[in-house]
Amino acid sequence: MCPRRIEEDHKSFRDVVGGKIRKALKKWIKTGNIFKNRGKNGKLSIPIQRIDIPHIVYGDNPSGVGRGNVKPGDVVGKDDSQGQGQGNQAGQDEAEAIMINLDMEEVLKFMQEELALPNLKTKDDECIDEIKIKYNNISLVGPESLRHTRRTMLQALKRMCSTGEINTLHKIPGFKDPVKLITPINSDKRYRQFKEVKFPSSNALIIYARDGSASMEQNKCDVVSDMAWWIDVWIRRFYKRVERMFVWHDVSAAEVSEDKFYKYRYGGGTTCSSALKLISKQFENRFPPNKWNIFVFYFTDGENWANDNELFVKLLKDEFGEKIVNLFAITQIYAYDHKNSVMEAVDQAIVDNVLGDNVKTTEVPLSAASSDEARNKAILRSIREILGAKGSVLEDAE
Amino acid sequence: MSERFMHGSPILLGSATTPGVRIPPELAKLIPDILQSCRDFGLDFYPTIVQMLTHDEISEVAAYGGFPVRYPHWKWGMEYEELQRGYMYGMHKIYEMVLNTNPCYIYCLNSNTLLDNVTVIAHATGHNHFFKNNIYFSHTSDNMMNELANHGSRIRRYMSRWGKEKVTEFIDNVLRIETLIDNAKAWETRQAKDPVFRDIRRYRHPRRLPITKERTYMDNWINPSNYIQREHDRIEKIEKAEDLGIFTNPEKDIFGWIKENCNLKTWQADIMSMLYDEALYFSPQGLTKTANEGFASYCDYHIMAKQGLVGLGQEGHDHGIVEYSIHKMGVLGGKYSMNPYKLGFNLLCDIEERWDKGQFGSEWENCDNMRERENWDQKLGLGKEKVFEVVKFYDDVNLINEFFTQEFCDKYEFFDWQKQENGEYVVVSKDAKQIKRKLITKYTNRGLPDIRLADPNHLGRGIMLLEHQWEGRTLYKPYLQETLKSLNFIVNKPVLIASKNKNEEEVIYYCEGFGDNEVHELSRQQYRKEFGLSSS
């Protein structure tokens, strides 16, 4: 069957759709709205505009003619598309959009390009070697199933040439003339042999810690949840084996499950250093820093007992040096301007060169008045800051 | 006899690449009978080629609008995907396709039953008659399959010369303005413009009223000097306007005007003229949809049910009538919906009944006695003749305008609905006049807004000014903006369109181009300010 003409056109239509997807994705990433959508089953669905060839047409048709046995006043139908977004332009736009499923892998690749997030680095010296088996050696003994036939025959040929055995002619049934034969003996046999190869480690430990005091309200927790999910996805891109640990603290810290991490609220006061103490204890036995790439993400609203800030910085300096953790990121989500906040103290320490490059800080300004978009953009910016993206791609694009 | 039947012609094979399926022998031997029945019914049609296709193939052909030889473009791929998906999910199914060409192509679906296919051929022959006889199709080319194939190969050549992306981008933009044509242009004989070698002054003389020789003494009185002076002034004005290149008449045929007058590259002008021809070719089908479908339904109803063709190829002579009726109701059904097939079918049946009974003329119009009107039957039997006359001379608007009467409206239970604020559609009235007005509005200009080119050199600044002829309905803004951008892309000039918004206030949409690719919405004051006009 000859190729059909429609196939070419169909393919170019698919390309048009592909272009639309890229555009839509770009828009979504730019506004940060993507951080509210969590991909399920490795797929993320985003809305794209319906594809059509626009002509000059009339707008919404508010009346018309029908037929049937009715009397004036009867309801003959309902426009479902209106629903909640009445008279709202945004509502109309969304009604026209169709949802398209995308692979998370593609989304992440796109994020890498668009947000210019740098690749994460592993620790320089203390990488643990991971052992893998590769069949890249030859031995004289071994099981028959691993016999290397080509090498064996080559060996037999070499041997027979050196002894002159090769010149003897043999009569073989099926052949008219006598032929030369190569016959391997046991000492010619060669076997494949495995060797242990060491690969650099790809273990990562992500520690999420958060302040659980009463001032961490629902909307702040949502920000934590959104950011944590995407950071998680990003880090998993680089490491094969990822362990996660969740630490929650008020006056004292405790390790909790993921569910509880997002749900727990209403603790008493706040001692930020308690979380650091708990985490640093884990490094002794459970997660030795020389075997793990460690990423710590600490979320707070900045309120801390004043004298605790000094202790916090001291602990950061002593226990979370560059050799111990790859990244220590402090995200401060605040609704009002706070003096003497944790971030202020840490920033001061960074300026004074007390802390290393692995400590990063960012803030997510959040107020009741700020719109969803502003919030999403703030999250986007924070993620870029703590993951160490350079330049301001987004601001340029606007 | 010109109406011969050609058996599965190879046109879809080879160059056109769609392999046709052979017609099943049980259908093939019935086709002459079906066509004979059609001839007996009085249909006069082009020679017919029946093709049997699988669903995949019919989707392909339908995606190309019936002509599998058209230029490459992604929009066919989009149609194809839509049709394929619709079929896959069981949403819809194409029963038949018929092409307005000579010979006429009828495509049947091979998964249909025998009865369905017999019906389809009878139905399609009705279309065939319509194409051959209706006056709106009198200017369409008979040989469109070849012409479209030529367009396809020409556009392919441009694509290989200038790049596929570039040509496709241009076609994308042209397709957006393809509705801005004047259907009446099909009647105009088109000819290439004569090249101008030297300026010729054509003298215009003032118009004088005619006077016979004997009455020359009346001349000063019949054609007084001030009248002659007025005429002189008028002519001078026109000549000056021509000299300055002032545009006098609002032009409806914007597409054609751009093609003729704008500064386009040769390949662009050629592509535009091809697409213009295609748009003109397909426009009568939009103008006569209701009449065409109605007539085809009317034909297959008469041929199948009244002439008893339902028994063709069946075991008994009336087997299949139930199946036929069910399918007919499927085509003409839809609760509360305004089905154009049904409207056309009912209108033609009503005409047949009225002219059979002699319910026309001034006597009928002036009769006020309801009982008399109800039992009015002069046994004239002119119905069929009248229907064939209507098919010959009417399009949708004229059909509804003339034959949508109070009685028809009452009999077939039309109503007028309006959308409420909560999104509900509520019946407002059953008034025939109101309904008729709405129907006519809906069918006028194929239901599209009337846009005119008011001035191609607005304010002497090379701005193209379009006007929306306001009838009380607003334009759909997102599409309008996209279309303006496309116009701007094609003519490479700023484009303005004057319309009104929901509150009947004047709005002007402005696309400047030259890097500023946004469409701005201006009120009248803003427009005056922007363009530096005095506020008076």
Side-chain angles (χ1 to χ4, degrees):
Chain A
M1 195 170 150
C2 42
R4 297 184 306 148
R5 182 165 291 171
I6 194 76
E7 275 164 16
E8 190 192 325
D9 291 333
H10 194 217
K11 192 185 163 294
S12 42
F13 169 63
R14 298 302 310 175
D15 291 348
V16 170
V17 174
K20 285 249 173 189
I21 291 172
R22 280 187 81 80
K23 241 187 207 165
L25 198 56
K26 212 170 185 171
K27 193 176 115 195
W28 270 62
I29 286 175
K30 212 172 272 173
T31 55
N33 271 331
I34 203 156
F35 294 107
K36 281 183 105 181
N37 270 41
R38 293 177 184 183
K40 278 174 198 142
N41 312 326
K43 300 253 180 191
L44 183 83
S45 54
I46 56 160
I48 66 164
Q49 285 288 307
R50 212 163 67 87
I51 294 172
D52 204 353
I53 294 178
H55 295 126
I56 299 187
V57 290
Y58 285 121
D60 190 25
N61 183 12
S63 69
V65 176
R67 52 198 299 185
N69 187 10
V70 291
K71 47 188 189 307
D74 285 1
V75 177
V76 290
K78 196 164 169 30
D79 187 3
D80 295 327
S81 67
Q82 253 185 348
Q84 301 88 16
Q86 240 189 27
N88 186 358
Q89 193 60 39
Q92 249 183 20
D93 280 352
E94 248 161 61
E96 286 211 351
I98 44 175
M99 300 300 278
I100 293 273
N101 276 335
L102 287 175
D103 281 344
M104 283 304 288
E105 191 59 33
E106 204 172 320
V107 176
L108 284 172
K109 204 173 148 203
F110 202 80
M111 270 173 75
Q112 189 185 12
E113 287 167 14
E114 279 300 300
L115 303 185
L117 292 178
N119 290 349
L120 296 175
K121 279 182 198 143
T122 46
K123 289 181 188 169
D124 295 337
D125 43 352
E126 284 143 26
C127 283
I128 183 161
D129 292 332
E130 200 177 304
I131 292 164
K132 263 197 171 180
I133 288 172
K134 275 214 160 182
Y135 284 95
N136 57 358
N137 207 358
I138 295 288
S139 87
L140 292 173
V141 288
E144 281 298 304
S145 58
L146 289 178
R147 194 184 60 223
H148 198 309
T149 314
R150 198 160 53 83
R151 288 261 183 131
T152 305
M153 293 307 281
L154 194 68
Q155 198 59 37
L157 183 65
K158 273 184 197 167
R159 178 180 53 77
M160 289 172 85
C161 286
S162 61
T163 56
E165 256 179 88
I166 194 86
N167 295 324
T168 31
L169 298 172
H170 298 261
K171 263 205 144 185
I172 303 286
F175 284 84
K176 238 187 216 169
D177 304 321
V179 293
K180 290 175 183 175
L181 277 185
I182 303 168
T183 324
I185 57 171
N186 272 350
S187 64
D188 294 335
K189 291 190 176 166
R190 294 290 180 271
Y191 298 91
R192 289 186 177 84
Q193 173 72 25
F194 66 78
K195 211 176 180 185
E196 285 177 350
V197 180
K198 287 182 176 178
F199 281 96
S201 147
S202 61
N203 292 343
L205 167 68
I206 312 173
I207 300 171
Y208 297 108
R210 87 168 175 89
D211 174 3
S213 61
S215 53
M216 286 292 278
E217 290 143 5
Q218 179 62 46
N219 55 353
K220 292 179 187 172
C221 288
D222 287 347
V223 172
V224 174
S225 163
D226 282 353
M227 279 182 74
W229 196 86
W230 279 93
I231 288 169
D232 210 273
V233 170
W234 182 251
I235 290 178
R236 274 168 193 274
R237 213 176 114 82
F238 297 97
Y239 298 98
K240 229 178 213 169
R241 188 161 153 240
V242 176
E243 287 280 325
R244 293 188 300 172
M245 184 180 152
F246 295 90
V247 176
W248 179 94
H249 78 88
D250 47 8
V251 185
S252 62
E255 192 184 341
V256 292
S257 73
E258 186 179 0
D259 265 7
K260 286 176 180 168
F261 179 72
Y262 296 123
K263 279 178 191 159
Y264 268 6
R265 209 152 304 133
Y266 308 127
T270 318
T271 319
C272 296
S273 58
S274 64
L276 298 197
K277 278 179 197 159
L278 183 91
I279 293 167
S280 62
K281 257 182 215 165
Q282 307 296 326
F283 296 157
E284 285 166 17
N285 288 321
R286 194 168 155 206
F287 298 115
N290 58 350
K291 293 197 174 180
W292 293 85
N293 291 294
I294 299 168
F295 299 88
V296 188
F297 295 95
Y298 178 63
F299 300 94
T300 174
D301 61 353
E303 287 177 45
N304 194 10
W305 285 353
N307 55 356
D308 192 44
N309 282 347
E310 280 170 33
L311 184 58
F312 188 90
V313 175
K314 190 169 174 295
L315 276 174
L316 260 185
K317 189 188 162 202
D318 296 346
E319 308 277 342
F320 296 86
E322 271 182 59
K323 296 215 163 165
I324 297 168
V325 295
N326 294 33
L327 177 67
F328 193 103
I330 299 164
T331 309
Q332 184 161 306
I333 307 158
Y334 65 93
Y336 316 99
D337 191 27
H338 285 295
K339 288 275 176 234
N340 302 325
S341 68
V342 179
M343 199 177 126
E344 210 175 20
V346 175
D347 276 346
Q348 190 57 46
I350 290 174
V351 171
D352 296 347
N353 272 333
V354 178
L355 296 173
D357 276 346
N358 62 335
V359 178
K360 293 222 162 63
T361 58
T362 183
E363 51 182 353
V364 180
L366 199 70
S367 69
S370 65
S371 67
D372 263 10
E373 199 167 304
R375 165 193 178 272
N376 292 334
K377 273 197 179 167
I379 291 178
L380 187 60
R381 195 174 44 86
S382 296
I383 287 181
R384 290 194 70 225
E385 270 179 27
I386 57 179
L387 291 178
K390 295 215 171 63
S392 52
V393 175
L394 296 155
E395 277 73 10
D396 291 346
E398 268 159 24
Chain B
M1 181 170 284
S2 66
E3 300 97 2
R4 66 190 191 284
F5 160 66
M6 294 181 220
H7 192 287
S9 138
I11 190 153
L12 288 185
L13 291 168
S15 65
T17 70
T18 307
V21 171
R22 280 194 80 82
I23 291 191
E26 66 267 24
L27 181 64
K29 67 177 187 245
L30 298 182
I31 290 173
D33 289 346
I34 304 168
L35 295 185
Q36 190 53 45
S37 293
C38 296
R39 242 167 259 137
D40 293 345
F41 181 60
L43 297 182
D44 161 36
F45 47 88
Y46 291 127
T48 305
I49 295 171
V50 180
Q51 289 265 332
M52 184 72 84
L53 303 178
T54 63
H55 184 267
D56 206 33
E57 288 159 354
I58 213 168
S59 296
E60 174 175 355
V61 173
Y64 282 117
F67 297 93
V69 293
R70 296 183 79 168
Y71 57 89
H73 193 260
W74 55 265
K75 90 174 175 177
W76 319 124
M78 177 172 72
E79 300 270 333
Y80 176 72
E81 173 140 342
E82 229 160 73
L83 291 170
Q84 277 292 64
R85 276 201 189 170
Y87 184 71
M88 234 155 51
Y89 299 138
M91 312 263 277
H92 58 75
K93 187 170 153 185
I94 306 162
Y95 273 103
E96 46 100 18
M97 279 217 65
V98 51
L99 297 191
N100 168 24
T101 52
N102 181 12
C104 174
Y105 287 87
I106 297 174
Y107 298 117
C108 298
L109 184 57
N110 70 342
S111 61
N112 278 345
T113 61
L114 183 66
L115 181 88
D116 274 345
N117 278 332
V118 171
T119 315
V120 160
I121 293 169
H123 183 93
T125 310
H127 284 304
N128 194 348
H129 173 93
F130 200 94
F131 291 145
K132 188 171 177 186
N133 292 289
N134 189 276
I135 196 163
Y136 289 87
F137 286 93
S138 59
H139 291 279
T140 57
S141 164
D142 285 347
N143 204 5
M144 207 56 190
M145 187 70 92
N146 293 358
E147 274 181 38
L148 288 175
N150 285 346
H151 291 177
S153 62
R154 247 149 89 196
I155 289 181
R156 266 189 206 95
R157 209 152 60 216
Y158 290 130
M159 277 176 173
S160 55
R161 174 64 185 84
W162 299 104
K164 190 169 179 181
E165 288 79 23
K166 202 172 169 188
V167 174
T168 307
E169 189 194 5
F170 186 71
I171 293 176
D172 281 348
N173 284 301
V174 175
L175 285 177
R176 293 176 186 187
I177 62 161
E178 76 176 350
T179 55
L180 303 177
I181 56 167
D182 187 0
N183 304 308
K185 286 283 170 186
W187 270 265
E188 245 174 44
T189 41
R190 275 183 281 158
Q191 54 193 24
K193 264 194 222 161
D194 286 337
V196 179
F197 295 117
R198 64 193 170 105
D199 278 346
I200 304 166
R201 178 157 182 190
R202 289 201 175 78
Y203 290 95
R204 293 165 201 261
H205 299 283
R207 198 168 37 188
R208 298 174 84 95
L209 295 176
I211 301 159
T212 49
K213 234 177 196 175
E214 307 87 69
R215 303 230 162 80
T216 42
Y217 63 90
M218 298 273 282
D219 190 19
N220 279 346
W221 193 73
I222 290 176
N223 292 314
S225 59
N226 58 349
Y227 168 73
I228 297 292
Q229 190 56 46
R230 243 191 355 257
E231 283 290 297
H232 266 299
D233 291 349
R234 195 174 61 86
I235 287 167
E236 199 176 348
K237 228 179 191 173
I238 291 171
E239 280 186 344
K240 266 190 187 150
E242 266 176 17
D243 226 27
L244 294 169
I246 292 173
F247 198 68
T248 41
N249 297 335
E251 176 68 58
K252 196 184 166 196
D253 191 38
I254 300 172
F255 192 168
W257 191 89
I258 290 172
K259 170 175 78 82
E260 295 292 332
N261 297 293
C262 282
N263 215 349
L264 297 166
K265 297 205 171 78
T266 320
W267 63 271
Q268 291 177 331
D270 193 23
I271 287 178
M272 277 197 84
S273 71
M274 285 188 270
L275 295 183
Y276 180 72
D277 282 356
E278 292 183 16
L280 266 193
Y281 171 77
F282 286 107
S283 79
Q285 302 192 4
L287 285 175
T288 57
K289 191 165 178 55
T290 302
N292 199 344
E293 290 297 347
F295 181 67
S297 292
Y298 170 86
C299 283
D300 79 62
Y301 163 67
H302 270 266
I303 293 167
M304 297 299 287
K306 289 202 168 172
Q307 295 189 9
L309 214 71
V310 284
L312 197 67
Q314 309 287 329
E315 285 166 21
H317 72 281
D318 58 351
H319 284 201
I321 185 73
V322 175
E323 194 189 336
Y324 171 74
S325 311
I326 289 168
H327 280 179
K328 193 82 188 156
M329 285 338 285
V331 174
L332 301 181
K335 196 185 181 190
Y336 299 142
S337 82
M338 193 55 233
N339 184 339
Y341 292 61
K342 195 175 173 188
L343 175 67
F345 179 67
N346 288 349
L347 270 171
L348 290 175
C349 286
D350 187 62
I351 291 167
E352 188 185 25
E353 193 188 332
R354 279 176 59 198
W355 261 259
D356 270 346
K357 291 183 174 172
Q359 296 175 341
F360 59 92
S362 59
E363 221 172 305
W364 161 262
E365 301 290 336
N366 296 331
C367 177
D368 290 338
N369 188 337
M370 286 309 285
R371 188 171 297 276
E372 212 176 301
R373 274 177 90 95
E374 221 163 85
N375 300 322
W376 190 292
D377 193 355
Q378 297 178 332
K379 297 205 165 44
L380 292 179
L382 294 172
K384 207 166 117 182
E385 201 181 311
K386 181 69 186 172
V387 168
F388 276 77
E389 186 192 315
V390 166
V391 160
K392 199 157 182 163
F393 296 118
Y394 284 66
D395 69 345
D396 288 348
V397 177
N398 293 334
L399 184 71
I400 292 164
N401 193 14
E402 191 153 344
F403 301 106
F404 191 91
T405 57
Q406 180 72 49
E407 269 113 354
F408 180 80
C409 180
D410 294 345
K411 186 175 168 189
Y412 291 102
E413 297 175 320
F414 285 85
F415 61 80
D416 175 13
W417 58 260
Q418 208 141 28
K419 190 171 164 184
Q420 304 297 312
E421 273 186 13
N422 57 5
E424 282 178 345
Y425 302 125
V426 175
V427 179
V428 273
S429 82
K430 302 187 77 173
D431 177 31
K433 263 188 190 164
Q434 184 65 25
I435 291 166
K436 187 170 173 179
R437 183 185 298 165
K438 268 195 181 166
L439 280 178
I440 288 176
T441 325
K442 191 181 153 192
Y443 283 107
T444 308
N445 198 25
R446 294 179 289 155
L448 293 168
D450 190 355
I451 310 286
R452 307 254 166 144
L453 176 66
D455 195 348
N457 187 13
H458 184 52
L459 303 175
R461 296 183 198 170
I463 302 170
M464 206 162 156
L465 174 67
L466 308 183
E467 265 177 8
H468 171 218
Q469 310 287 313
W470 178 252
E471 314 91 347
R473 287 179 67 187
T474 52
L475 302 175
Y476 184 54
K477 210 168 117 189
Y479 277 16
L480 177 67
Q481 290 175 338
E482 288 303 312
T483 318
L484 279 195
K485 281 183 204 167
S486 296
L487 263 175
N488 175 269
F489 177 88
I490 293 165
V491 302
N492 216 354
K493 280 179 184 179
V495 181
L496 271 177
I497 185 165
S499 179
K500 289 184 182 179
N501 66 7
K502 242 185 249 168
N503 311 325
E504 302 224 355
E505 290 155 359
E506 281 184 328
V507 195
I508 288 145
Y509 295 96
Y510 177 47
C511 181
E512 182 164 7
F514 306 116
D516 177 15
N517 210 8
E518 286 303 306
V519 175
H520 306 282
E521 188 179 340
L522 308 170
S523 71
R524 182 168 263 275
Q525 283 81 21
Q526 282 168 333
Y527 158 75
R528 291 190 150 276
K529 212 172 144 195
E530 182 100 352
F531 288 86
L533 302 174
S534 62
S535 56
S536 61

